[in-house]
Amino acid sequence: MNAACTPIEAAAPRPRRSRQARIAWGSRVVTVGGDAPVRVQSMTNTDTVDAIGTAIQVKELAQAGSEVVRITVNTPEAAQQVPYIREQLDRMGIDVPLVGDFHYNGHRLLSDHPACAEALSKYRINPGNVGKGDKHDRQFAQMIEAALRWDRPVRIGVNWGSLDQELLARMMDENSRRAEPWDAKAVMYEALITSAIGSAERARGLGMNPDQILLSCKVSGVQDLISVYRELARRCDYALHLGLTEAGMGTKGTVASSVAMGILLQEGIGDTIRVSLTPQPGEARTQEVVIASEILQALGLRSFVPSVTACPGCGRTTSTTFQELAKQIDDHLRAQMPVWRERYAGVERLKVAVMGCIVNGPGESKHADIGISLPGTGEAPAAPVFIDGEKALTLRGDNIAAEFHQIVETYIEKRFGAAG
Ligand code: SF4
């Protein structure tokens, strides 16, 4: 080792510096911002008028790990169903706070349907969609008054697809009068941030506690999101809801959301996240919760489920045994989490390794809490199992998968169970 060199600094997310909001339902309080962990949230895609269907989807999202769930409240019929959805959830023992997503008519829905206003734990207000001209400020004020009446936090959620057009036009005019006008994108960034922070200031002027205001400025481009949120975080200390809007489907949506949010979270920006994934046909809505959780877990910000390290496979292993075993273990651990979370405190930090051959298998398995190194092509048909860094036993024969499964279960019971 070079005597003059210094230890390599371990990378870690920077601390956040936001205010802390409280989103509550009954005795369940979800804090967002400040020293609270970065929260996972999601949104239903059911018709809110279908109260049972919506309650079931909220339950699925909550059980997948969503700590706050947003529902669309777009019509009087939808608003009427909100208390019933809440009641169904309470009956099922699902105390996840519900957020109402309001546009255009939120001021009327919140005043005409007090039971809806009461059943929701937070209101999302889009300042670009609260009315034009002199109606804008009046209707925005009516929504803030409802939040004050029911003592609810609000998210002022700006979106570049529905940016306040009057504000944007005014800022474009001002820009054209500059000696050196900014480019259109820079004006749009400024308009997004001005709309969010200006609306928050209006809400404070109406009596809203700044701790109970969350902000978001969603755009659909990765670099745009990074630019906007860096500046938003620099200019204010409100708790920030982070998400790439209209991220897209499948791999594209997953990668774009992960990259954008990963960079910002590493910089300490973002207090709650939502992955706006378009579900593939037949795909569960809960996928957006799984991805959001994985982003936070990959950054080391939170732990939700035990992690399975598996090698990618190569020419040294031509069978699919290790792929199948890795998937079985991963699926099993994830499926058990709703029960294990209650029974085995700390199990979400478990690390399991399933490796394909002797090259990296034993080494990677030793780094995990429990690992198995399967035989590669041409290797003796034996699979050493490592527990807490030590070789514990070797599995042989046709039943390796089932036996390893059992070893993992026994380890969890011993380490995280009541006796552990
Ligand atoms: S552990 Fe073995 S099978 Fe897996 S990628 Fe490495 S060399 Fe290939």
Side-chain angles (χ1 to χ4, degrees):
M1 196 196 297
N2 181 346
C5 74
T6 52
I8 296 168
E9 196 183 329
R14 269 187 236 145
R16 287 170 294 136
R17 46 170 285 276
S18 53
R19 293 171 179 273
Q20 187 166 87
R22 296 171 89 253
I23 308 172
W25 182 250
S27 58
R28 171 85 178 267
V29 178
V30 179
T31 48
V32 180
D35 61 359
V38 180
R39 302 294 184 183
V40 173
Q41 60 176 286
S42 59
M43 185 172 183
T44 56
N45 63 350
T46 50
D47 181 353
T48 306
V49 175
D50 172 10
I52 298 294
T54 301
I56 289 170
Q57 193 176 78
V58 171
K59 178 184 175 197
E60 289 167 355
L61 291 164
Q63 288 185 332
S66 185
E67 294 161 296
V68 174
V69 179
R70 182 159 45 117
I71 61 175
T72 300
V73 189
N74 54 339
T75 60
E77 293 74 22
Q80 276 163 15
Q81 292 304 316
V82 171
Y84 187 53
I85 293 166
R86 182 71 264 175
E87 194 185 314
Q88 293 298 316
L89 291 167
D90 291 345
R91 270 199 212 145
M92 291 189 281
I94 305 295
D95 58 0
V96 67
L98 291 177
V99 179
D101 196 65
F102 293 98
H103 298 267
Y104 314 112
N105 56 359
H107 60 291
R108 253 200 325 272
L109 296 178
L110 283 168
S111 58
D112 292 353
H113 300 275
C116 165
E118 188 177 14
L120 294 168
S121 303
K122 185 176 108 186
Y123 311 145
R124 183 270 169 106
I125 305 172
N126 179 340
N129 285 345
V130 293
K132 296 191 185 342
D134 60 348
K135 282 188 190 161
H136 180 279
D137 286 359
R138 194 171 65 242
Q139 293 176 176
F140 178 81
Q142 280 176 264
M143 296 189 76
I144 296 298
E145 280 155 16
L148 291 171
R149 191 176 320 130
W150 295 102
D151 191 21
R152 299 293 191 260
V154 296
R155 168 163 67 99
I156 295 174
V158 178
N159 189 306
W160 80 340
S162 52
L163 182 57
D164 182 337
Q165 292 303 305
E166 290 165 1
L167 172 74
L168 182 61
R170 200 165 58 243
M171 292 182 68
M172 285 289 187
D173 282 350
E174 285 165 12
N175 187 50
S176 66
R177 290 195 290 276
R178 281 194 172 95
E180 288 183 33
W182 300 356
D183 71 24
K185 190 178 253 193
V187 180
M188 195 269 295
Y189 290 167
E190 191 63 36
L192 284 161
I193 293 171
T194 301
S195 177
I197 295 182
S199 301
E201 280 166 8
R202 269 197 296 283
R204 289 173 73 165
L206 292 162
M208 198 85 199
N209 176 347
D211 290 345
Q212 292 298 72
I213 299 173
L214 296 96
L215 294 190
S216 66
C217 277
K218 293 194 184 177
V219 295
S220 58
V222 169
Q223 299 294 359
D224 295 325
L225 192 86
I226 294 167
S227 305
V228 169
Y229 269 81
R230 276 181 179 158
E231 188 58 19
L232 187 61
R234 198 183 67 75
R235 290 197 205 172
C236 73
D237 62 358
Y238 297 110
L240 297 182
H241 167 123
L242 180 59
L244 190 71
T245 192
E246 291 111 29
M249 297 182 88
T251 310
K252 186 256 170 194
T254 305
V255 171
S257 293
S258 309
V259 169
M261 290 197 245
I263 289 170
L264 289 165
L265 290 164
Q266 184 74 359
E267 295 176 9
I269 299 170
D271 300 294
T272 174
I273 64 169
R274 189 224 164 180
V275 174
S276 301
L277 203 64
T278 310
Q280 314 237 38
E283 187 177 62
R285 187 65 167 177
T286 48
Q287 188 62 10
E288 67 173 61
V289 178
V290 172
I291 294 166
S293 308
E294 292 286 359
I295 290 171
L296 298 180
Q297 186 149 342
L299 286 167
L301 280 162
R302 298 198 55 186
S303 295
F304 297 94
V305 288
S307 63
V308 177
T309 302
C311 78
C314 67
R316 286 179 179 272
T317 180
T318 46
S319 89
T320 55
T321 309
F322 85 95
Q323 295 169 3
E324 286 158 8
L325 183 59
K327 180 157 183 0
Q328 275 174 22
I329 292 283
D330 199 43
D331 289 350
H332 182 69
L333 296 174
R334 210 172 274 284
Q336 295 304 313
M337 274 314 284
V339 177
W340 285 356
R341 213 174 275 131
E342 310 295 326
R343 194 184 300 166
Y344 301 124
V347 69
E348 66 277 4
R349 291 192 294 277
L350 179 76
K351 287 188 168 47
V352 180
V354 180
M355 300 295 290
C357 86
I358 202 167
V359 172
N360 289 325
E364 193 70 61
S365 298
K366 282 183 195 168
H367 289 309
D369 295 311
I370 180 161
I372 185 167
S373 178
L374 293 163
T377 309
E379 293 176 18
V385 173
F386 297 81
I387 297 178
D388 294 331
E390 302 290 336
K391 184 173 162 189
L393 72 161
T394 299
L395 299 177
R396 290 187 171 80
D398 299 331
N399 224 11
I400 287 179
E403 287 174 30
F404 184 64
H405 220 103
Q406 190 53 52
I407 291 167
V408 172
E409 292 257 1
T410 306
Y411 180 87
I412 288 173
E413 174 61 40
K414 196 168 152 203
R415 177 165 161 194
F416 301 101

